[in-house]
Amino acid sequence: MIPVLSLLLVVTFSILVTRIAAIALRHTGLARHTARFQARSAFTGAGFTTTESEKVVNHPVRRRIVLTLMLLGNAGIVTAVSSLILAFVRDGGGDGWPLALKIALLVAGLLGLWLVATSRWVDRLLSRLVERALNRFTQLELSDYEGLLHLAGEYRIAEVAVEEGGWLADRPLSHIRPAEEGVLVLGIASPDGAWLGTPQGDTRPQLGDTLVVYGRTEAIRGLAERRAGDERDHAKAVADQGRVAGEERRSRRGPSGLEGSPP
């Protein structure tokens, strides 16, 4: 029975470590689903070969988190496998506990751990505890960008490539007028790796550049797919943004007509 309990403890430890690491990664700016995927991939050693992996390995804090997960994961997986083997094959299972009871306890324990791991209440509690610990023991600047920018809804941060014949190519931002469509240009990355943050209106995106933008998904998609000279599509996007902005302002006012009143 001790190997079964050891296995459950190892699984509990694994869930706790990956959850803490995912929260820490999330507070470095990664989206929630990305942080969880990268934490689990690093801990299990499955490898994180997505394009998002560059955002991890090129960030010093995220890289330290992932390296720690890799070390802990190697020990945890070996221990879990060893405990599983000992639980069912050691001395032919002759430790006084029926095999059926062992299996039942193992399944019940794993089910309970799965319920705890998927609990939103547990996630919120762990998030608060991890934030306090990181604030106290590290110099990590905590910023939940996903929550701050409401990226779980219609809004998101995206990369838009500047392509030949596109609306964005070889014209200053003051002519492109993305803000009129509700899209903010946060920065421009050049093919050689150069970065220009908060570009001004006289900045002219070049072919091969990548614009990092923030706005509604539909508005960003329209901006990325529009061809040069398509003023009609631009006018429609501006009108759509005006309608959306009006709805958002009304929702802030609430039924009393005062901004900030509860809905």
Side-chain angles (χ1 to χ4, degrees), residues 8-260:
L8 293 177
L9 287 175
V10 171
V11 174
T12 302
F13 172 77
S14 302
I15 293 174
L16 185 61
V17 167
T18 54
R19 180 62 62 88
I20 292 174
I23 294 171
L25 288 172
R26 197 169 74 219
H27 286 299
T28 65
L30 285 182
R32 182 187 301 270
H33 65 280
T34 301
R36 287 186 176 181
F37 177 80
Q38 298 297 339
R40 291 171 182 173
S41 297
F43 186 83
T44 59
F48 48 106
T49 56
T50 66
T51 56
E52 296 168 340
S53 63
E54 294 184 3
K55 299 178 182 178
V56 175
V57 296
N58 292 331
H59 191 288
V61 176
R62 297 171 187 167
R63 189 164 57 244
R64 288 199 297 271
I65 294 172
V66 167
L67 286 174
T68 303
L69 280 174
M70 290 178 175
L71 292 175
L72 294 175
N74 287 333
I77 292 174
V78 171
T79 304
V81 173
S82 301
S83 298
L84 185 63
I85 293 174
L86 290 174
F88 296 107
V89 303
R90 187 180 63 176
D91 297 329
D95 56 357
W97 293 89
L99 180 61
L101 180 58
K102 289 183 179 181
I103 295 176
L105 289 176
L106 182 60
V107 171
L110 293 176
L111 179 61
L113 290 175
W114 179 81
L115 292 175
V116 171
T118 56
S119 170
R120 293 185 178 181
W121 181 85
V122 173
D123 185 56
R124 288 194 296 268
L125 177 61
L126 278 177
S127 294
R128 289 195 293 267
L129 294 176
V130 171
E131 287 173 7
R132 292 176 185 174
L134 292 176
N135 273 322
R136 182 172 181 179
F137 300 110
T138 73
Q139 299 297 320
L140 177 63
E141 180 182 355
L142 298 181
S143 296
D144 188 354
Y145 300 113
E146 182 180 11
L148 289 174
L149 298 175
H150 299 273
L151 300 184
E154 293 185 12
Y155 288 85
R156 68 182 177 118
I157 293 177
E159 295 181 340
V160 178
V162 179
E163 300 176 347
E164 185 175 0
W167 175 263
L168 302 172
D170 200 29
R171 290 198 301 162
L173 293 177
S174 58
H175 291 179
I176 299 171
R177 309 185 298 282
E180 295 181 1
E181 304 180 29
V183 178
L184 302 179
V185 180
L186 304 179
I188 300 178
S190 302
D192 60 0
W195 171 258
L196 175 63
T198 60
Q200 303 303 307
D202 59 351
T203 303
R204 186 186 297 265
Q206 304 294 323
L207 293 178
D209 285 350
T210 299
L211 273 61
V212 178
V213 300
Y214 169 74
R216 291 183 299 111
T217 301
E218 182 179 353
I220 294 174
R221 183 182 299 113
L223 191 70
E225 296 176 353
R226 187 177 310 138
R227 308 308 298 169
D230 194 348
E231 294 290 344
R232 180 179 300 180
D233 191 41
H234 169 68
K236 181 179 181 299
V238 172
D240 290 342
Q241 173 58 24
R243 174 183 54 79
V244 171
E247 293 175 353
E248 291 176 345
R249 285 194 295 269
R250 285 192 294 274
S251 67
R252 279 176 52 82
R253 293 191 182 99
S256 66
L258 298 176
E259 186 170 330

